Amino acid sequence: MSLLLALDQGTTSSRAILFTERGEVVASGQRPLSQRYPEPGWLEQDPEEIWFSLWAAMQDCLGAVPNATDRIVAIGIANQRETTILWDRHTGRPVHPAIGWQCRRTIPICQKLREDGLEPVFHEKTGLVLDPYFSGTKVAWILQQRPELRRRAERGDILFGTVDTWLVYRLTGGRLHRTDVSNASRTLMFNIHDLTWDEQLLQILDIPPAMCPEVGASAGEIGEIDRQWLGRVIPVTGMAGDQQAALLGQGCLKPGMVKNTYGTGSFVLMNTGQRPVPSRHGLLTTVAWSISGDVTYALEGSVFASGAVVQWLRDELQLIGRSEEAEALARSVPDTGGVYLVPAFSGLGAPYWDEGARGIITGITRGTDRAHLVRAALEAIAYQSRDVLEAMREDSGLWVEALRVDGGAAKNGFLLQFQADILGTAVERSRNLEATAWGAALLAGMGRGLLSVDNLPAGLGFDPPFLPEMEQNIRETLYRGWKAAIDRARS
Ligand SMILES: Nc1ncnc2c1ncn2[C@@H]1O[C@H](COP(=O)(O)OP(=O)(O)O)[C@@H](O)[C@H]1O
Ligand SMILES: O=P(O)(O)OC[C@H](O)CO
């Protein structure tokens, strides 16, 4: 039986998963990935570690099944988006640490662009807002700090890429400098209407066009991995940003369908079909994918910290030993006792876009214990998703009837029940929490001509839904308390 290899390079780990064409998982490998915080609000990763962790995950995955490599017919890549890498075209070596998507170092650049009245032009052309989240100001920052790199970039000697581009470059033995439209749409330099790097925006950001990768479709003949990695030449035929891949992997193929992936952050995406829907309520307009010449767009609410708050409870506060403990602790108390925790570690993303906001905990009394704090942290993940879905209703006129969910934190049943309660909407958990990887596998299968977008395999289906049980007046009282806490966290 032929197999599809999905490579999912996420913020906290790299994964390789082998799928059958029907969506069964044959084997998987996962390696953790570290993050560095060199200054408050800054976040970096090591591009070599990103690559190595993915390579090692591939070896773990393929080592588990005899002769698996011979049966792989196509490879698909999904990746953490916006994270910015610059490298030397000649040596293939990074010239700067990767600047992570949550990194806030470019706040002053964004402020200056706003003062110059440039926000509308960026918004109209890219569908994004001026926030340090996106790659453009990260590239601009490196070039401002390192004039010698700018000179070399102008000569075409320094290449820019998001993580997909970096991985494809390495996988193909340095032969390909390429991205896809879904990743390009996260850079603040890409025009989502004519699907090209935008000369005016590049000029404003002072970024030499020669640095930018070629942009292609999300499925099709992309390249071939070098024989040295798996002992065989295998075609790469799918690539997309991880959140767009999850939208596909969750089967959200029709306009109006919505998914939420709870990983480091939460990313709610609504398929809006073949037209970009501009947002007036703090959402992003973004490219979902391009398949067989058809471009699909999405509305997105990006929340910067969701699963990250659980990591923070575990690693920094040491209130829990393992992420899984959060659920039982949250259930051990009937409510948070009035405590709200706003995890604005990297400012607030959608729908507030407040780069200066910082995390707060409100409503603490002498009786507050760690269970209340842990519960407040999990509830915050759900409140933030409601904020985004409220904005989606304003923009699209639609209130989601059912929210499809996946990602690492979607393992948490307490979180999903509270999510259903606070939305008043059914929450459907995918049986395959690795919807991102499955989306990458689907793209690879389509790009190889094995699957068609009109007739995609359904994957593994859903668990019984989490249905709302909370009374309406309690739901709205709790949500009002959240909005008050948000007001206090804002800059
Ligand atoms: N049982 C759990 N309850 C809540 N959060 C969890 C649980 N297990 C894992 N997480 C969170 O899920 C995130 C990892 O999910 P994953 O989808 O792998 O993220 P990413 O792709 O961003 O690396 C981490 O932030 C972790 O804290
Ligand atoms: O690595 P994840 O799954 O948290 O995804 C990160 C997003 O792509 C950032 O935009």
Side-chain angles (χ1 to χ4, degrees), residues 8-13 15 79-83 101-102 133-134 183 186 241-244 261-267 300 302 304 407 436:
D8 175 9
Q9 202 305 300
T11 313
T12 58
S13 77
R15 283 179 282 237
N79 55 285
Q80 57 163 318
R81 308 163 303 165
E82 300 97 13
T83 296
W101 56 271
Q102 305 116 298
Y133 177 30
F134 307 104
N183 276 293
R186 315 295 299 182
D242 56 6
Q243 303 308 326
Q244 290 93 330
T261 303
Y262 302 87
T264 304
S266 285
F267 299 88
E300 172 173 326
S302 325
F304 295 151
T436 297

Side-chain angles (χ1 to χ4, degrees), residues 42-224:
W42 289 30
L43 196 141
E44 293 181 349
Q45 293 188 306
D46 175 1
E48 294 291 0
E49 190 191 347
I50 292 175
W51 159 248
F52 180 76
S53 62
L54 187 83
W55 178 84
M58 277 197 298
Q59 306 303 319
D60 294 348
C61 171
L62 298 175
V65 185
N67 304 324
T69 311
D70 298 335
R71 289 151 62 199
I72 302 172
V73 288
I75 295 178
I77 299 169
N79 55 285
Q80 57 163 318
R81 308 163 303 165
E82 300 97 13
T83 296
T84 296
I85 304 176
L86 264 55
W87 66 95
D88 183 312
R89 178 194 289 279
H90 306 290
T91 64
R93 297 268 168 231
V95 294
H96 195 274
I99 301 187
W101 56 271
Q102 305 116 298
C103 185
R104 303 277 95 192
R105 78 182 66 190
T106 63
I107 287 178
I109 300 182
C110 293
Q111 277 167 347
K112 174 81 175 55
L113 292 169
R114 270 198 297 274
E115 280 160 24
D116 292 345
L118 291 166
E119 179 127 47
V121 65
F122 277 97
H123 186 67
E124 197 280 315
K125 290 184 168 205
T126 67
L128 308 176
V129 297
L130 277 178
D131 187 272
Y133 177 30
F134 307 104
S135 318
T137 60
K138 300 182 198 290
V139 181
W141 186 92
I142 299 174
L143 297 181
Q144 279 175 16
Q145 300 297 311
R146 303 266 304 270
E148 86 285 5
L149 287 183
R150 178 187 303 286
R151 281 192 295 279
R152 293 174 60 204
E154 279 162 359
R155 292 200 302 266
D157 292 337
I158 300 294
L159 303 180
F160 150 70
T162 38
V163 170
D164 55 316
T165 307
W166 171 239
L167 296 175
V168 163
Y169 180 85
R170 278 287 166 101
L171 284 167
T172 58
R175 284 192 294 278
L176 218 55
H177 183 220
R178 186 197 190 277
T179 189
D180 89 300
V181 283
S182 71
N183 276 293
S185 75
R186 315 295 299 182
T187 59
L188 214 56
M189 314 189 255
F190 187 72
N191 188 314
I192 59 167
H193 307 283
D194 62 21
L195 303 175
T196 56
W197 297 115
D198 192 279
E199 274 177 39
Q200 182 193 8
L201 301 183
L202 288 171
Q203 216 164 34
I204 294 170
L205 291 165
D206 205 6
I207 295 174
M211 302 179 76
C212 295
E214 177 198 338
V215 189
S218 317
E221 283 179 23
I222 292 168
E224 289 177 330

Side-chain angles (χ1 to χ4, degrees), residues 227-248:
R227 188 179 299 276
Q228 66 180 308
W229 305 126
L230 295 179
R232 253 188 78 205
V233 171
I234 305 174
V236 179
T237 54
M239 64 196 283
D242 56 6
Q243 303 308 326
Q244 290 93 330
L247 188 68
L248 185 70

Side-chain angles (χ1 to χ4, degrees), residues 10-13 15 30 242 262-265 307-308 310-311 323-324 326 378 407-409 411-412:
T11 313
T12 58
S13 77
R15 283 179 282 237
Q30 179 165 8
D242 56 6
Y262 302 87
T264 304
V310 177
Q311 282 182 318
S323 308
E324 291 72 24
L378 292 178
K411 281 185 274 209
N412 192 311

